[in-house]
Amino acid sequence: MTYPEPFCLTASQAQARFKDGSLTVEEYAKSLLARISLRDSVTNAWAYLDPDLVLKRARELDQLRLEERGPLHGVAIGVKDVIYTEDMPTQFNSPLYENNLPKVDAASVMTLRANGALLIGKTTTTEFAATTVGPSYKGPRTSNPHDPTRTPGGSSAGSGAAVGDFQVPIALGTQTIGSTIRPGSFNGIYAMKPTWNSISREGQKLYSLIFDTLGFYARSVNDLKLLLDVFQVQDDGPEGEFNVEGSKFALLRFPTPEWPEAGPGTIAAMKKGAELLKAHGAEVEEISLPDEFRQIYKYQLQVLAGDGRVAFLPDYVVAKDKLDTLLIEHVDNEDKHTRKDQLRAFDELAAMRPKIDALVDKYAAIIAPSVVDEAPVGHENTGNPAFCGPWTAMHTPVVNIPGFKGENGLPIGLSLVASRYRDQHLLRVSKEVGKIFEEQGGWQRQQL
Amino acid sequence: MTYPEPFCLTASQAQARFKDGSLTVEEYAKSLLARISLRDSVTNAWAYLDPDLVLKRARELDQLRLEERGPLHGVAIGVKDVIYTEDMPTQFNSPLYENNLPKVDAASVMTLRANGALLIGKTTTTEFAATTVGPSYKGPRTSNPHDPTRTPGGSSAGSGAAVGDFQVPIALGTQTIGSTIRPGSFNGIYAMKPTWNSISREGQKLYSLIFDTLGFYARSVNDLKLLLDVFQVQDDGPEGEFNVEGSKFALLRFPTPEWPEAGPGTIAAMKKGAELLKAHGAEVEEISLPDEFRQIYKYQLQVLAGDGRVAFLPDYVVAKDKLDTLLIEHVDNEDKHTRKDQLRAFDELAAMRPKIDALVDKYAAIIAPSVVDEAPVGHENTGNPAFCGPWTAMHTPVVNIPGFKGENGLPIGLSLVASRYRDQHLLRVSKEVGKIFEEQGGWQRQQL
């Protein structure tokens, strides 16, 4: 039997091979590093990579006795460069933080390491994960692995591109509006934004306390499940089987005034997704977002304006001239948002959350667009996050399911949404839906 | 004219002397360090103090030309040891973080430094600012400067004690339930918890995203104002005069089932405070907290249980045996809180916030108890935070006004509460009320 190149494996597949002794963590790491070396000039997904450090840690993991190995033993992870790692710089794609190396691990990284993960390096981001200007603008130009003339999305640009390109099986992203889910769709991979605050955000660059969420990328739902489990993101309910047959989904059309029009790729994906689920015995009810939620995105941007004013003040005070214009405008409160409007937006969003939960709980999941369309051409603009924003504001878990394609052959995914703290349920649904969309949606990941 | 010892000055007074050239920052720092040296064996307020570093920075500040000096030029500040400082260890009073020195400044520290502040050292805290066990329990025994057999409160134990003891004019605290306001009352000083999220909490140990708030200690309202201004905590409204005469306050009696009974010291302070305001021409309306808010504290503790589960997981995974029992119970979800209850509590608190704002806005401020009574004897228990919790959960700004005394002669303060983002208004009210309470409340700070 010949094995595929180790870099092609999902994390769960690699773990099976560590267990049966047919692969060491070091061999695996070498394969990933070779893949990166081959592809890095095209994708430019890494803000920091020290192969010697990776191999040293890999050998340390190999030396652990079986009973010392954690549940993430040898699982290779890329870390978005807005999350602290004590042995690698964290530079936020900001000239203010060049070669910045605080000796501290973010809470997420601490948990991953303690469970046996192997950190590969830091992946590129837009400035402070807060602008929509691609990492191309300053620093390396990160490209979509499926078409290097296009953006991989942002702000988690490098994480999305690296996982989409088989350079690493798992990567961490963050999301304040659409920074995890959008690159998930653009790069043809699974992306998960768990329930807000279900995983500690300590040591992750702060933009908005009430929206910022750690996110995950992977090429399989099993890999996402590995992560949810070590972070102890648990639902109330007992775990049960989920079958598409006999289940009921909502297909969500957004009202148009507040959201962009979906492009042809996303419209086709929504239609195809619904057809496929029906063909597999599910009921799919087409719904619109009720009127009471129409202001979600407007309110989210209003809260974010207030939050940005606070989050970027320190850097503004230290070196305003080194900040992106968007961040300067935040601190200067350029749009003259009042506290009254900010509080109203904050409170209205809070009031919507239990209502959204109740709406979502009528279904196995809501199916919603992840993006306006396939990844646009160019690297400076990372695409429109508007379709992702509402779920971030509502704190609900979201998984991007890949499987569809746009008019130019680029991948398009759809979002599955569950109510807050139904993350494990959402993964069970995602696994079954993912099988169908990946097999029959029309877009196939390149076979290596 | 003879000046008082520089260490006796408030920060604003010290700044006036830097300006008129009668005091250098170095001389000032030497005076504070001498005071600390004299008193440290009694109060044990410092977790880290490097006099040489302080003097070096002081000399650097003295070398700045007038036009280079920031608005906090030479303002000496103690930093609670749960807030990152790039040049001093941050140890969280946890054996897991002994000598921990991440090379990074918290957002608050970055802003203070960039404005010219002089950081004196790190002040003691309960473990991760999350337990109610005094710093005595592990590490140095921090005492109340007004009676060393008593607690200075917690978790901001060292910050409260150091400011109360003239070792530093200003210190940073944090509050998740009552960790800033309670020590303010126990140590006879002003304490401010600004509106939640009005100042970046980045780089400050995380316990609860939705409650944690940076707080300030000072011996004058002018000093609090200095800080609010550099952090750009601005109200909507134009700044106006505030006069006690003709203004209207609410004196808030809490319903008893959910809160502890106030002790005789606090009951007397509430009565005296109301009398004093009336004597100065204010109207004081006695109110109870309406029934719809009765569950605030219960909901707060429920949300906190969920938040602690998330916040302490990383340390739990790394070294559970080195964590306080309370934190282990959080992660283990010992009380079996369900997600449903957690979300209900989170949403109910959110729904209360605009209602509390509307209630508070009927008055110049609400007057509420800061603590159950004067500081209790002993060092292991830092006192009951229950009276402070509701305002933390409601995100409102609170200022502890000192001036009263308990049956054993220890200081007692009262809380003034305004609605969210009326921080500057609250300071104007606090200044006028503080003059009255400090002069006529019955407790006088020791004159040195």
Side-chain angles (χ1 to χ4, degrees):
Chain A
M1 158 178 198
T2 49
Y3 287 116
E5 285 287 330
F7 71 80
C8 297
L9 302 171
T10 65
S12 319
Q13 290 167 341
Q15 281 204 306
R17 293 200 44 199
F18 301 145
K19 207 166 252 173
D20 74 18
S22 68
L23 184 69
T24 67
V25 179
E26 186 181 4
E27 287 162 355
Y28 179 51
K30 280 183 176 163
S31 176
L32 292 170
L33 290 169
R35 172 71 182 168
I36 293 170
S37 172
L38 181 72
R39 293 281 301 167
D40 195 39
S41 62
V42 176
T43 52
N44 282 300
W46 299 90
Y48 183 83
L49 184 83
D50 176 352
D52 291 339
L53 176 67
V54 173
L55 292 173
K56 181 171 168 273
R57 299 258 186 247
R59 284 189 293 268
E60 287 166 6
L61 287 166
D62 280 327
Q63 279 153 22
L64 293 177
R65 291 190 308 271
L66 279 179
E67 65 275 19
E68 293 173 328
R69 296 182 178 182
L72 295 184
H73 178 73
V75 167
I77 301 182
V79 179
K80 183 176 179 179
D81 199 25
V82 294
I83 300 172
Y84 286 146
T85 43
E86 63 174 8
D87 50 2
M88 304 176 194
T90 303
Q91 304 178 93
F92 309 108
N93 193 22
S94 158
L96 262 167
Y97 291 90
E98 247 173 65
N99 302 318
N100 171 56
L101 180 46
K103 303 281 280 178
V104 62
D105 271 344
S108 53
V109 168
M110 209 169 140
T111 305
L112 294 171
R113 275 200 222 266
N115 282 288
L118 174 69
L119 304 192
I120 298 298
K122 305 300 280 281
T123 57
T124 58
T125 173
T126 64
E127 187 175 339
F128 296 117
T131 73
T132 53
V133 179
S136 59
Y137 190 69
K138 297 182 197 130
R141 187 179 82 149
T142 305
S143 296
N144 192 305
H146 309 296
D147 176 351
T149 68
R150 293 172 189 261
T151 179
S155 61
S156 310
S159 284
V163 173
D165 198 43
F166 295 92
Q167 296 176 26
V168 72
I170 290 177
L172 302 184
T174 64
Q175 177 153 315
T176 302
I177 305 179
S179 283
T180 293
I181 297 300
R182 178 158 100 270
S185 180
F186 285 176
N187 293 288
I189 54 180
Y190 289 93
M192 178 170 205
K193 180 194 85 65
T195 298
W196 175 83
N197 196 30
S198 63
I199 299 173
S200 176
R201 52 114 347 106
E202 188 147 30
Q204 166 186 327
K205 178 67 191 172
L206 201 159
Y207 183 6
S208 167
L209 281 186
I210 202 71
F211 300 140
D212 288 354
T213 309
L214 184 76
F216 308 134
Y217 293 109
R219 292 187 306 272
S220 87
V221 174
N222 288 347
D223 284 10
L224 296 178
K225 168 92 173 131
L226 271 177
L227 298 172
L228 266 204
D229 287 349
V230 300
F231 285 115
Q232 301 194 9
V233 180
Q234 293 144 352
D235 298 7
D236 266 342
E239 305 230 350
E241 285 276 309
F242 173 78
N243 294 304
V244 170
E245 188 169 352
S247 64
K248 186 174 170 188
F249 290 84
L251 187 79
L252 185 62
R253 297 214 176 279
F254 282 86
T256 44
E258 286 77 20
W259 277 275
E261 294 270 358
T266 287
I267 289 172
M270 295 277 282
K271 187 160 172 280
K272 182 88 178 256
E275 284 167 7
L276 286 173
L277 291 174
K278 283 184 207 159
H280 285 80
E283 188 183 334
V284 179
E285 185 185 337
E286 200 163 313
I287 63 169
S288 288
L289 201 63
D291 277 350
E292 57 184 329
F293 304 112
R294 285 201 156 213
Q295 304 295 317
I296 290 188
Y297 195 49
K298 185 184 129 193
Y299 286 146
Q300 185 183 27
L301 296 180
Q302 216 155 49
V303 169
L304 203 54
D307 290 350
R309 197 171 159 184
V310 168
F312 300 108
L313 176 66
D315 295 314
Y316 178 99
V317 172
V318 169
K320 177 180 170 179
D321 55 311
K322 291 187 177 167
L323 289 185
D324 184 273
T325 314
L326 173 77
L327 309 180
I328 294 172
E329 288 173 2
H330 263 337
V331 179
D332 287 337
N333 189 25
E334 195 81 8
D335 293 338
K336 307 252 174 284
H337 293 282
T338 63
R339 298 301 194 184
K340 195 179 159 198
D341 286 348
Q342 182 187 332
L343 288 171
R344 183 176 172 219
F346 186 87
D347 295 337
E348 291 283 348
L349 289 177
M352 289 177 192
R353 287 187 194 112
K355 293 179 190 164
I356 281 282
D357 280 348
L359 175 72
V360 179
D361 278 341
K362 292 184 193 162
Y363 308 95
I366 283 187
I367 305 164
S370 289
V371 290
V372 175
D373 210 322
E374 58 189 348
V377 170
H379 296 96
E380 287 204 6
N381 187 322
T382 58
N384 191 328
F387 284 142
C388 307
W391 313 119
T392 317
M394 291 298 100
H395 294 177
T396 58
V398 180
V399 172
N400 176 70
I401 312 282
F404 304 96
K405 72 176 170 196
E407 293 185 323
N408 298 287
L410 274 288
I412 288 182
L414 293 179
S415 285
L416 290 191
V417 183
S419 62
R420 290 174 294 174
Y421 288 110
R422 295 201 74 205
D423 301 73
Q424 293 280 2
H425 161 79
L426 183 62
L427 276 196
R428 288 196 296 280
V429 176
S430 296
K431 188 162 177 176
E432 299 309 314
V433 172
K435 276 182 205 161
I436 297 169
F437 288 3
E438 285 209 90
E439 262 173 38
Q440 304 178 299
W443 181 80
Q444 296 273 316
R445 192 170 293 119
Q446 192 189 353
Q447 294 302 311
L448 297 167
Chain B
M1 158 175 198
T2 50
Y3 286 117
E5 285 287 330
F7 72 79
C8 298
L9 302 171
T10 65
S12 318
Q13 289 166 342
Q15 283 204 306
R17 293 200 42 199
F18 302 146
K19 207 166 253 175
D20 73 17
S22 67
L23 184 69
T24 67
V25 179
E26 186 182 4
E27 288 161 355
Y28 179 51
K30 281 183 175 163
S31 176
L32 292 169
L33 291 168
R35 172 71 183 169
I36 293 170
S37 174
L38 181 72
R39 293 282 300 166
D40 195 39
S41 61
V42 176
T43 51
N44 283 301
W46 300 90
Y48 183 84
L49 184 81
D50 177 350
D52 291 339
L53 176 66
V54 173
L55 293 174
K56 181 172 167 272
R57 299 257 187 248
R59 284 189 291 269
E60 288 167 6
L61 287 166
D62 279 328
Q63 278 153 23
L64 293 177
R65 290 190 308 273
L66 280 178
E67 66 274 19
E68 293 172 328
R69 297 181 178 182
L72 295 184
H73 178 73
V75 168
I77 300 182
V79 179
K80 183 176 180 179
D81 198 25
V82 294
I83 300 171
Y84 287 145
T85 43
E86 65 174 6
D87 50 2
M88 305 176 194
T90 302
Q91 304 178 92
F92 309 108
N93 192 23
S94 158
L96 263 167
Y97 291 90
E98 248 172 65
N99 302 319
N100 171 56
L101 180 44
K103 304 281 280 176
V104 62
D105 272 344
S108 52
V109 168
M110 208 169 140
T111 305
L112 293 171
R113 275 198 222 266
N115 281 288
L118 174 68
L119 304 192
I120 298 298
K122 304 300 280 281
T123 58
T124 59
T125 174
T126 65
E127 188 175 339
F128 295 118
T131 75
T132 54
V133 179
S136 60
Y137 190 70
K138 296 183 196 129
R141 187 179 82 150
T142 306
S143 296
N144 192 304
H146 309 296
D147 177 351
T149 68
R150 292 171 189 264
T151 179
S155 61
S156 310
S159 284
V163 173
D165 198 43
F166 295 92
Q167 296 177 27
V168 72
I170 290 177
L172 302 184
T174 64
Q175 177 153 313
T176 302
I177 306 180
S179 283
T180 293
I181 297 300
R182 179 159 99 271
S185 180
F186 286 176
N187 294 287
I189 54 180
Y190 289 92
M192 179 168 203
K193 180 193 86 64
T195 298
W196 174 83
N197 196 31
S198 63
I199 298 172
S200 176
R201 52 115 347 104
E202 187 148 32
Q204 166 185 327
K205 178 68 191 171
L206 201 158
Y207 183 6
S208 166
L209 280 187
I210 202 71
F211 300 141
D212 289 355
T213 310
L214 184 76
F216 309 133
Y217 294 109
R219 293 188 305 273
S220 88
V221 175
N222 288 347
D223 284 11
L224 296 178
K225 168 93 173 129
L226 272 177
L227 297 173
L228 267 204
D229 287 349
V230 300
F231 285 115
Q232 301 194 10
V233 181
Q234 293 145 352
D235 298 6
D236 266 342
E239 305 230 351
E241 284 276 309
F242 173 78
N243 295 303
V244 169
E245 188 170 352
S247 65
K248 187 173 170 188
F249 290 85
L251 187 78
L252 184 63
R253 298 213 176 280
F254 281 86
T256 46
E258 287 77 19
W259 277 275
E261 293 270 358
T266 288
I267 290 172
M270 295 278 281
K271 187 162 171 280
K272 182 87 178 255
E275 284 166 7
L276 287 173
L277 292 174
K278 282 184 208 161
H280 284 81
E283 189 183 334
V284 179
E285 186 184 336
E286 200 164 312
I287 62 168
S288 289
L289 200 63
D291 278 351
E292 58 183 330
F293 304 112
R294 284 200 156 214
Q295 305 294 318
I296 289 188
Y297 195 48
K298 185 185 128 192
Y299 286 146
Q300 185 183 27
L301 296 180
Q302 216 156 51
V303 169
L304 203 54
D307 289 350
R309 197 171 160 183
V310 168
F312 300 108
L313 176 67
D315 295 314
Y316 178 100
V317 173
V318 168
K320 177 180 169 179
D321 55 312
K322 291 189 177 167
L323 288 187
D324 183 273
T325 314
L326 173 78
L327 309 181
I328 294 172
E329 287 173 3
H330 263 338
V331 178
D332 287 338
N333 190 25
E334 195 80 9
D335 294 337
K336 308 252 175 284
H337 293 281
T338 62
R339 299 302 193 183
K340 194 178 161 200
D341 286 348
Q342 182 187 333
L343 288 171
R344 184 179 170 217
F346 185 88
D347 294 337
E348 290 283 347
L349 289 176
M352 289 178 193
R353 286 188 195 113
K355 293 179 192 165
I356 281 281
D357 279 349
L359 175 72
V360 180
D361 278 342
K362 292 183 193 162
Y363 307 96
I366 281 187
I367 305 164
S370 289
V371 289
V372 175
D373 210 322
E374 58 189 350
V377 170
H379 297 96
E380 287 204 5
N381 186 322
T382 58
N384 191 327
F387 284 143
C388 308
W391 313 120
T392 317
M394 291 298 98
H395 294 176
T396 58
V398 181
V399 172
N400 176 71
I401 313 284
F404 304 97
K405 73 175 168 197
E407 292 185 324
N408 297 287
L410 274 287
I412 290 182
L414 293 178
S415 286
L416 290 191
V417 183
S419 62
R420 291 174 293 174
Y421 288 109
R422 295 202 73 206
D423 300 73
Q424 294 280 2
H425 161 78
L426 182 63
L427 276 196
R428 288 195 296 280
V429 176
S430 297
K431 187 161 179 179
E432 299 309 314
V433 171
K435 275 182 206 161
I436 297 169
F437 288 3
E438 286 210 89
E439 262 172 39
Q440 305 179 298
W443 181 81
Q444 295 273 316
R445 191 170 293 120
Q446 193 188 352
Q447 294 304 310
L448 296 167

